[in-house]
Amino acid sequence: MNWPRSIPDYRFDSVSQKSRGVPAPKPRAEDGPALRALRNNCCPNSPSPCTQGEGRGGGPSSAFPGQSAVEGSVQNSLFNKSPLPTPPPEYKGRETLQATLSQSLRFARSAIFNIAFVSGLIASIFRKYKRRILILRTDGLGDGVLSEPFIRAIAKRYRDAEIHLWAPAATCELFASAKYVQVCQIIPRGFKAGCLEYFHTTSWRWKLGFLFGSQRYEIAIYPAISAEPLGNWIFRSVRAQKRWAVEGDLFHQFPRQRYAALKRATRILARPKEIHELERNADLARQCGASDVNTLPQISLDAAANENSARLLSSWRELAESRGASGLLGVVSSASMAKFSWPAENWRTALQQIWREHRLMPVLLSQNAICDPAIPHAVLNESIDVRTLSAILGQIDMVLSLDTGPAHISAAMRTPTVVLSNDGHPGRFFPWPDALWVKSLVHSMPCAGCVCKCPLAEAECLTRIKVADVLIAVGELRKSSFAEAA
């Protein structure tokens, strides 16, 4: 049995590793060709370090100041066309994180993790064996929506097994009513914020330590193409007979971190050649043995979500009718990354024009929503879960949103949707393939493909989207929706 480490691997770069004397990974007889290639070509301390990288155009990768050529490489030139190098993952060295904690506190939290792991092992002795398959996600709500066809296809392929989903809270809420997922286990969201949350929170040390000890799976699948350290660590630490992971890119991990995760895998899934995430997830599902894969997501709702959404929509429609509106426009004007926002004045102007031309009353569904008080509008002023939000987005007349999780939910519910996208991942998330009810707007920039690590003072690919283009997209969707209704 593999005894898990108490913290993820936060090693930062080849220089700090070399200066600390971190040994290069040793080759193993059981390493397959794919893993040997990753070790030989992408590990900073390997005997044959990668000098060419996988940069755009296949040439030598350039680097940011203080960044090695390997760190400046780009893994997928299919949708990254920027002439700029990709910034390195935003993770500092483990010593930087630990500097904020005393040695005794670090030891105490490590002890808590190991005690919890042993407690979980003891608890597992008295648990009846069931065939279980783990699917691990550490990314956001939108990624969870896009992964729904993959999860559903795996559940259909392995009908006699319990499907366990380990994911952040919002994704678990989304799948709570899905009959094909038996257990939704909340874990921290990955990336830098999630790693820091785990590192500084004693309760997470206990929860994850106990989970690692108490749960045992036949197959653990980590289908993230852009894997990151927290997900890698969970994938390596969970008890599983088989481990399947993707030969992912280096957007959020360094080569050594990728190798450390994949050397624990019993099967390495080939990175799909498709550009869009929906098509990629369908490809991964087929690699995992699924044959009947539906590309479009399906959102599962429960009675409570339908009841709550009906109550809210009823009050909003009454207000809209009293003000002479022809329908409701759901507005999501804030995203998880504050830099990727549309100017406040543009929001006010766009909503004013949409009201005057189409008589659609804005319903502000996000925090810090912006609207001219002179026009009729409604505000979602109560806390709701993801399933209730999904039900609202499925019954509202149209949605205008930034590139966020709710935008993907709206698209999945086949609601006419206008999305204001950034160009960090051209074609990867929006527009959806064959989704005529979704209009995606973006202002093309020379730095397209920056992996959402914008080098500019503001995200001009988003801020330069014109109000006039938004009005045209809304008008086209209104015409098409009226034609379908007729």
Side-chain angles (χ1 to χ4, degrees), residues 334-387:
S334 61
S336 58
M337 301 177 68
K339 188 170 187 177
F340 294 98
S341 59
W342 206 39
E345 186 57 35
N346 288 6
W347 280 109
R348 294 189 187 95
T349 304
L351 296 180
Q352 286 174 352
Q353 294 297 324
I354 291 172
W355 167 252
R356 291 170 184 167
E357 296 181 16
H358 303 285
R359 308 305 287 180
L360 287 173
M361 188 185 83
V363 178
L364 310 182
L365 299 175
S366 60
Q367 295 180 348
N368 304 319
I370 301 165
C371 184
D372 186 348
I375 66 173
H377 65 277
V379 179
L380 176 61
N381 51 15
E382 63 180 80
S383 178
I384 58 175
D385 59 28
V386 173
R387 296 185 303 283

